[in-house]
Structure formats: C-alpha cells, structure tokens
Amino acid sequence: TLMPKDTNAAGTIFGGVILSHIDLAAVVEAHKINPTLLFVTVAMDKVVFHEPVFVGDHVSFYTSLVRVGTTSVTVKVEVMVRRRFDPSLEEIKVTEAEVVYVAVDENNKPVKVR
C-alpha cells in the first residue's frame, strides 16, 4: 500500500515512485538467472501508465523474463492494483514496463550473465 507522502499535486501516486518499485521488482527476476551477479539498470522501455494509483490501493508487481543476452537481461513488469474501496477486489492493470539490466563486475565492466 502506498501512502500520502508518495502523492503528486493531483492526489495520485508519483509515476517516479511506481518506476522505483518496478526497478526493484524486475531486478529480483533478473537475479533468478544468476543470483551472484550485480545487475545495473540501463533502460526502462515501453513504460505505459494506463490508470492512476491512489493512496490506499493495494499494489502488486508481476515480473516475467523477456530476454537473456550475453551480458544483459530484459524483464517485463506488470503493475496491478486492487482499489481500496472496490468491494469486488478485482485487479486492474495500471502500469507496465520492460527493464533492461546489464551484469557488471566490481569495475563496472559488463560480464556474462551465464
């Protein structure tokens, strides 16, 4: 559940707050490929905000692997909410994005993912 401190002047959750959570969710999926690697975010692509997120909405982030390259991993994230005052508790897709990570070593040089 996101709180009032995360809202913009329109009273909805900042897009940047949602993007931050997308990044965190996606890197968990990337680590399933190789949990010992350090992944850095290089791109967020196809970010679409379909619906606003309101204070009190229950927000879920669903991830799926799109592509594994030599040094990179692409993860799709779908952001779903259950509206706080909706008695049906139906999930609604509010945002989606693809996040690209590159695996790096201690010198920030790309390394093989597998």
Side-chain angles (χ1 to χ4, degrees), residues 7-26:
T7 60
N8 58 29
T12 60
I13 303 301
F14 281 115
V17 170
I18 300 296
L19 291 177
S20 176
H21 288 288
I22 286 172
D23 196 14
L24 292 168

Side-chain angles (χ1 to χ4, degrees), residues 26-76:
V27 79
V28 171
E29 185 70 29
H31 276 118
K32 291 178 183 177
I33 302 301
N34 188 332
T36 65
L37 292 177
L38 173 62
F39 287 98
V40 295
T41 310
V42 295
M44 279 197 180
D45 193 19
K46 302 177 186 172
V47 178
V48 180
F49 293 94
H50 300 287
E51 299 281 339
V53 177
F54 300 104
V55 171
D57 283 350
H58 295 272
V59 185
S60 298
F61 297 81
Y62 298 101
T63 61
S64 59
L65 192 61
V66 173
R67 179 180 177 278
V68 179
T70 305
T71 62
S72 66
V73 176
T74 303
V75 177
K76 180 179 176 93

